[in-house]
Amino acid sequence: MSKCLICGCSISGQSTLMQLLMISPDKKKICDKCRQQFIKIGSENRCQGCGRQRGQYCADCQRWRSLTGFLLANESLYQYNRAMKQYMHDYKFQGDYRLRHVFVEEMSSLVTRRKPDLIIPIPVHERTWQTRGFNQVTGLLEMEVQTGLLVTQEVKKSAPQSSKTREQRLRTKQPFKLLQPSVVSGKRIVLVDDVYTTGRTLYHAATLCRQAGCRQVWSVTLAS
Ligand SMILES: [Zn+2]
Ligand SMILES: [Zn+2]
């Protein structure tokens, strides 16, 4: 008998349908009720940049393309709704590492689908790592990933975000450093993050990969 990782209810007994489908109830990490709270991003009308259902090229992505000269083909699994925000909070800020099991299989298969040469998770800051004890992105993946390649670097604090224009926010200083750029050269790379919000983090990381001469770079996130 297993318990739902989110609400703690007992899962066995409600898995009649799952048993009919020959799926072992042990494979279920959360109950159906909790599962229903997470909304998948549909495949229709997806933006070629961010992967959201906003038409072929949404306004944000058009802006990214003119700023950076490229478009990052992002793919996300779920909408960043209330349930997902709560999940992220419990997983990241409460540091409940068991919660990675809820999405680890789906994330791993999405990441490997396009058969990348390298999988690079967005790193967390040293201080975050020390308090949390894990990188929430790496926790969502069950295959070998490149952890020491992309690292955070100190960025001097400038004016607070709210006092900047949207354009200035998008143009913020590079928060990452790519160690051993030669490893990235000529490779097909997938960057992985937990949430796609403005896209800024991923565009910064992708820019470094492109400067290092990667063959292709795209990104995958759990939510968007
Ligand atoms: Zn539940
Ligand atoms: Zn878009």
Side-chain angles (χ1 to χ4, degrees), residues 4-9 11 14 30-35:
C4 171
L5 282 173
I6 290 178
C7 71
C9 81
I11 293 182
Q14 57 166 226
I30 58 175
C31 71
D32 293 342
K33 214 173 149 192
C34 288
R35 176 63 69 187

Side-chain angles (χ1 to χ4, degrees), residues 176-190:
F176 305 120
K177 213 163 41 181
L178 189 64
L179 307 177
Q180 296 178 280
S182 59
V183 177
V184 168
S185 173
K187 301 280 174 27
R188 298 172 72 245
I189 294 158
V190 61

Side-chain angles (χ1 to χ4, degrees), residues 29-193:
K29 305 297 179 196
I30 58 175
C31 71
D32 293 342
K33 214 173 149 192
C34 288
R35 176 63 69 187
Q36 282 162 15
Q37 308 297 313
F38 297 107
I39 313 293
K40 281 223 168 120
I41 294 174
S43 54
E44 319 79 44
N45 206 28
R46 273 197 195 173
C47 169
Q48 306 278 306
C50 61
R52 292 162 167 158
Q53 295 181 281
R54 293 177 165 186
Q56 202 179 5
Y57 298 103
C58 77
D60 282 348
C61 290
Q62 286 179 33
R63 196 173 294 113
W64 275 125
R65 188 160 49 182
S66 66
L67 273 173
T68 63
F70 69 98
L71 204 57
L72 187 62
N74 178 69
E75 197 171 349
S76 307
L77 281 172
Y78 290 94
Q79 293 176 16
Y80 194 42
N81 64 2
R82 234 171 79 157
M84 188 54 85
K85 279 180 190 153
Q86 184 63 47
Y87 168 83
M88 290 292 183
H89 176 268
D90 295 344
Y91 176 43
K92 286 162 72 168
F93 302 111
Q94 307 274 32
D96 189 348
Y97 196 57
R98 294 172 316 150
L99 286 175
R100 73 193 198 91
H101 294 296
V102 178
F103 297 112
V104 75
E105 277 176 44
E106 270 176 289
M107 275 298 278
S108 299
S109 65
L110 181 61
V111 166
T112 47
R113 199 186 302 161
R114 284 191 252 181
K115 300 187 169 57
D117 300 316
L118 294 177
I119 299 164
I120 304 181
I122 295 298
V124 296
H125 200 276
E126 181 78 18
R127 281 192 299 273
T128 313
W129 206 92
Q130 276 167 9
T131 46
R132 190 177 300 157
F134 62 89
N135 175 333
Q136 75 274 6
V137 183
T138 313
L140 293 172
L141 304 169
E142 55 188 356
M143 73 293 275
E144 197 186 320
V145 298
Q146 306 292 319
T147 44
L149 222 47
L150 187 69
V151 297
T152 56
Q153 60 174 355
E154 288 295 337
V155 176
K156 281 211 184 89
K157 279 264 181 290
S158 51
Q161 290 281 312
S162 53
S163 69
K164 293 180 187 169
T165 65
R166 191 189 156 77
E167 203 81 331
Q168 284 171 323
R169 276 204 299 275
L170 296 177
R171 280 181 190 273
T172 49
K173 277 236 181 74
Q174 175 61 259
F176 305 120
K177 213 163 41 181
L178 189 64
L179 307 177
Q180 296 178 280
S182 59
V183 177
V184 168
S185 173
K187 301 280 174 27
R188 298 172 72 245
I189 294 158
V190 61
L191 299 166
V192 189
D193 205 357

